[in-house]
Amino acid sequence: HMYEQGLGGPKNYPKAIQLYEDAIKLGNTGAMNNRAYMHQQGLGGPKNYLKAIQLYEDAIKLGNIPAISNRAYMHEHG
């Protein structure tokens, strides 16, 4: 999250993506939610709504509350 937000140094989307993807492989729902947000916003690459939805849904199935809110936002805004 620090690389994504630029906390403590400059933003580094490739490093954030790498770390999120590693954490996702371990089942980390926070990483799923944060990586989905990056896909949704086009941070570190083009917007990818389908991938964002997939990651939000995976996180939701595992009980991640912020992912529910973020997915609802996507529904609300089409």
Side-chain angles (χ1 to χ4, degrees):
H1 186 72
M2 292 180 74
Y3 285 114
E4 177 191 347
Q5 298 296 314
L7 304 172
K11 290 181 181 180
N12 186 336
Y13 293 136
K15 185 66 174 176
I17 290 167
Q18 173 194 345
L19 292 172
Y20 284 148
E21 294 293 336
D22 290 347
I24 289 167
K25 290 175 187 171
L26 297 173
N28 184 297
T29 62
M32 291 174 196
N33 181 61
N34 292 344
R35 184 67 180 110
Y37 182 80
M38 290 184 76
H39 280 300
Q40 180 184 347
Q41 298 299 314
L43 303 175
K47 291 181 180 181
N48 187 336
Y49 295 125
L50 293 178
K51 188 65 176 173
I53 290 167
Q54 175 190 348
L55 285 169
Y56 282 141
E57 295 291 333
D58 290 346
I60 289 166
K61 288 177 188 172
L62 296 171
N64 185 284
I65 302 303
I68 295 170
S69 177
N70 289 337
R71 184 66 182 104
Y73 180 89
M74 289 186 78
H75 279 293
E76 181 180 9
H77 294 278

